[in-house]
Amino acid sequence: GEKYYQISELSPELSGQKVLLRGRVHNVRGKGKSCFLVLRQQTGTVQAVLFVDDKTVSRGMVKYTSAIPKESIVDISGEVHVPQEPVAGCTCSQVELKAMSVKCVSRAAPLPFELADASRKEEDLQREDAQFATVTQDTRLENRWIDLRTPVNQAIFRVQSAVCQLFREALLAEGFQEIHTPKLIAGASEGGASVFRLDYMGREGCLAQSPQFYKQMAICSDMARVFELGPVFRAEKSFTHRHLCEFTGLDLEMTINEHYNEVLDVLDRLFVYMFDGIKSRCAAEVKAIQEQFPSEPLAYLPKTLRIPFEEGMRLLQEAGFEPDPLGDLTTELERNLGKIMKEKYNTDFYILYRYPLAVRPFYTMPDPEDARYSNSFDVFIRGEEIISGAQRVHDAALLTERAQVHEIPLESIQSYINAFKFGAPPHGGFGVGLERVVMLFCGLDNIRKTSLFPRDPKRLTP
Ligand code: ATP
Ligand code: AMO
């Protein structure tokens, strides 16, 4: 068959050559004997012009083309032509196509909203004299397959893809292996309130809230360093800008020799590599996102700042807040601590470690020097949590005791506890929320923007 060209391949060197392209009708404007059509492939656009002549282009062809609805898929064959002036508004501005034929491959129904309206800058929408049709988030999500075509969404999901690739690259280079753990499991690992229960062949099962138990059992199986990218299910009851009912977890687990600082060292190298990588590989995407949703670029240090929880509480107190020194941080306090860190250390990215034991999951290792605390940490971007992690209890008797303190039914986790009875190395790890990383790296305000087809308490379709 004939070669299909990409818009990105077109250049003045091809002038005079006949080419065939498939793409969407981004825009079309008929003017009697001529017609201007902007063809789009993903975020690239090129202009095609049709003029009625005696040989190839009939009046009928121009009329037919002018009536093709926006977003339809078309095949255009034409000659590459260098216009006298660059074509304004097209990504491919140095050439245009003198179209000879246009064929509609798939006709688009009337659109629920215009892509142009879904691509407006926040600041333009805020203007009092704004004349644009506004598109609500619900309308976008109802029609996500159209919404995802906007340049900003094309960019967001390329950044997401890069984050996953960078995560894999960095960990493989550190000697980790990728694993795949079951998502149909017997019990809750992160607390019963947010677990999706289901019928598993007549008995109770649930959707995995985390690969937690299985990544630890892999350690007990002598896989010294493991990671997984996979779905995580949480029956979150309320709406927030940062909770989904299904998200993608980037998890790792590793043996440690002396201290869970070894995990933090990996975390530090991993994230600096990922942030540097996004900046260098996704510069155009980050710019496209900035254009629609402006924000400060992420500030991070070559070596990530580590602050003890106690010190964090002291800084909050100094600033006039009243955190519970042995309790959990509220979203509000987390955000304020983020502001303090930014002012004091000029970083949007930091690790808070040695949390109070009482606010961490049962599998968390207590601090051997002070049992009110634990060998655990959270990591924040712009004052919002993106990671939780810890050293884990690797002694079956202590694990049983900790589960009882948390009132966890032992039957549901017996096989997990058994895994530690036959020799278990000290180990630790952490879990990252992919959608949160992309949202917060890009300075976006809602996690639904970084989930391809978000699942929240009300949304199960599309
Ligand atoms: P993690 O799952 O690691 O705990 P998280 O961001 O949900 O991540 P939590 O420790 O559950 O963190 O909660 C931190 C704070 O976020 C809570 O103190 C609470 O204020 C708020 N929060 C958590 N879950 C919800 C929710 N479903 N709805 C509203 N607020 C929530
Ligand atoms: P945690 O429950 O903190 O820890 O989850 C880890 C990370 O996952 C993300 N996250 C979410 N993202 C979107 N929607 C949600 N509802 C949601 N809940 C959590 C956050 C969070 O930091 N087993 C431990 C990890 C470990 O210790 O290895 C765990 O699941 O970015």
Side-chain angles (χ1 to χ4, degrees):
E2 199 180 339
K3 171 184 158 104
Y4 277 88
Y5 276 79
Q6 292 298 309
I7 291 175
S8 55
E9 290 176 280
L10 301 181
S11 72
E13 274 116 77
L14 293 178
S15 183
Q17 194 167 315
K18 196 182 157 231
V19 293
L20 172 65
L21 284 91
R22 178 168 293 179
R24 288 189 189 279
V25 176
H26 188 61
N27 233 321
V28 62
R29 196 157 44 89
K31 285 209 264 177
K33 287 187 167 183
S34 62
C35 167
F36 295 81
L37 186 156
V38 176
L39 186 78
R40 189 181 83 239
Q41 291 170 342
Q42 298 182 311
T43 55
T45 48
V46 66
Q47 175 163 274
V49 292
L50 270 169
F51 289 109
V52 175
D53 62 20
D54 299 334
K55 295 171 290 181
T56 44
V57 181
S58 66
R59 262 180 191 280
M61 169 71 73
V62 169
K63 205 173 160 203
Y64 165 83
T65 304
S66 309
I68 299 175
K70 275 191 201 178
E71 295 299 307
S72 300
I73 309 271
V74 291
D75 277 0
I76 297 185
S77 100
E79 203 178 279
V80 177
H81 170 77
V82 179
Q84 278 175 343
E85 280 179 21
V87 186
C90 284
T91 63
C92 179
S93 58
Q94 300 306 312
V95 302
E96 61 181 13
L97 298 171
K98 272 190 172 165
M100 295 181 283
S101 81
V102 177
K103 193 177 102 194
C104 185
V105 175
S106 172
R107 183 170 291 266
L111 298 167
F113 57 85
E114 294 283 325
L115 260 66
D117 289 327
S119 307
R120 306 270 178 220
K121 292 181 188 173
E122 291 281 88
E123 60 188 68
D124 289 343
L125 291 172
Q126 309 288 322
R127 278 191 358 225
E128 281 189 8
D129 60 342
Q131 298 277 316
F132 318 121
T134 50
V135 189
T136 64
Q137 179 159 271
D138 258 353
T139 305
R140 289 166 185 267
L141 294 180
E142 275 312 320
N143 302 278
R144 189 64 163 156
W145 5 261
I146 298 174
D147 184 39
L148 289 171
R149 295 177 196 167
T150 60
V152 77
N153 282 331
Q154 292 286 313
I156 286 170
F157 291 96
R158 283 184 181 273
V159 171
Q160 191 193 79
S161 168
V163 169
C164 294
Q165 186 179 346
L166 290 158
F167 183 81
R168 276 203 176 91
E169 273 174 24
L171 292 178
L172 291 171
E174 299 254 6
F176 283 74
Q177 73 187 80
E178 183 164 4
I179 58 169
H180 301 281
T181 64
K183 303 307 158 200
L184 283 170
I185 64 177
S189 61
E190 312 299 321
S194 68
V195 72
F196 281 107
R197 302 202 181 275
L198 54 83
D199 176 83
Y200 188 78
M201 310 285 174
R203 60 194 161 117
E204 190 169 280
C206 62
L207 289 175
Q209 283 176 311
S210 159
Q212 187 60 38
F213 293 174
Y214 293 87
K215 60 180 181 169
Q216 286 190 257
M217 290 192 276
I219 297 289
C220 294
S221 310
D222 280 350
M223 297 173 185
R225 297 184 147 205
V226 296
F227 71 90
E228 176 167 10
L229 294 86
V232 175
F233 304 95
R234 303 275 172 101
E236 296 288 352
K237 296 269 155 44
S238 57
F239 276 97
T240 77
H241 74 285
R242 62 187 191 133
H243 288 92
L244 294 168
C245 293
E246 177 175 350
F247 65 93
T248 304
L250 309 182
D251 272 79
L252 73 75
E253 203 66 24
M254 58 185 269
T255 57
I256 59 180
N257 295 320
E258 284 167 3
H259 198 278
Y260 70 103
N261 275 341
E262 295 159 41
V263 179
L264 295 184
D265 293 341
V266 170
L267 188 155
D268 189 1
R269 288 193 293 271
L270 171 65
F271 274 81
V272 171
Y273 181 79
M274 295 204 314
F275 295 152
D276 288 349
I278 303 171
K279 285 204 302 191
S280 61
R281 296 182 198 179
C282 299
E285 285 80 6
V286 169
K287 186 165 166 264
I289 297 167
Q290 286 292 329
E291 268 163 22
Q292 190 171 348
F293 303 114
S295 71
E296 289 287 310
L298 183 80
Y300 59 100
L301 305 171
K303 185 152 178 13
T304 306
L305 181 69
R306 301 177 191 184
I307 299 276
F309 185 86
E310 253 182 307
E311 167 77 359
M313 296 315 100
R314 200 183 56 73
L315 290 171
L316 279 168
Q317 273 161 2
E318 259 178 33
F321 299 98
E322 292 177 359
D324 174 356
L326 290 176
D328 209 351
L329 279 171
T330 62
T331 309
E332 202 45 41
L333 285 171
E334 285 178 349
R335 196 161 293 151
N336 282 301
L337 188 55
K339 280 187 199 147
I340 296 171
M341 291 299 155
K342 182 70 188 283
E343 274 164 29
K344 204 168 154 71
Y345 300 103
N346 196 29
T347 182
D348 288 315
F349 179 67
Y350 74 95
I351 300 168
L352 194 64
Y353 68 93
R354 201 167 177 258
Y355 269 68
L357 181 63
V359 304
R360 303 301 286 201
F362 77 98
Y363 51 74
T364 309
M365 183 66 94
D367 182 334
E369 273 152 34
D370 184 345
R372 292 175 305 162
Y373 291 96
S374 63
N375 287 358
S376 65
F377 54 89
D378 274 4
V379 182
F380 298 86
I381 297 184
R382 306 184 203 261
E384 300 205 56
E385 178 200 316
I386 59 149
I387 300 177
S388 276
Q391 180 181 353
R392 326 297 186 181
V393 174
H394 60 277
D395 175 81
L398 179 57
L399 194 56
T400 306
E401 191 187 310
R402 297 296 309 152
Q404 281 164 337
V405 171
H406 281 255
E407 297 177 352
I408 293 166
L410 291 179
E411 326 76 80
S412 67
I413 58 167
Q414 197 55 56
S415 64
Y416 165 65
I417 292 180
N418 288 347
F420 301 95
K421 291 181 178 166
F422 307 92
H427 63 285
F430 57 84
V432 187
L434 172 64
E435 294 81 358
R436 285 199 192 173
V437 171
V438 177
M439 166 176 83
L440 294 163
F441 180 90
C442 298
L444 298 171
D445 62 355
N446 195 300
I447 198 162
R448 289 161 188 77
K449 288 194 168 88
T450 58
S451 173
L452 199 62
F453 290 99
R455 292 289 166 260
D456 67 28
K458 288 196 184 149
R459 186 165 293 285
L460 199 51
T461 57

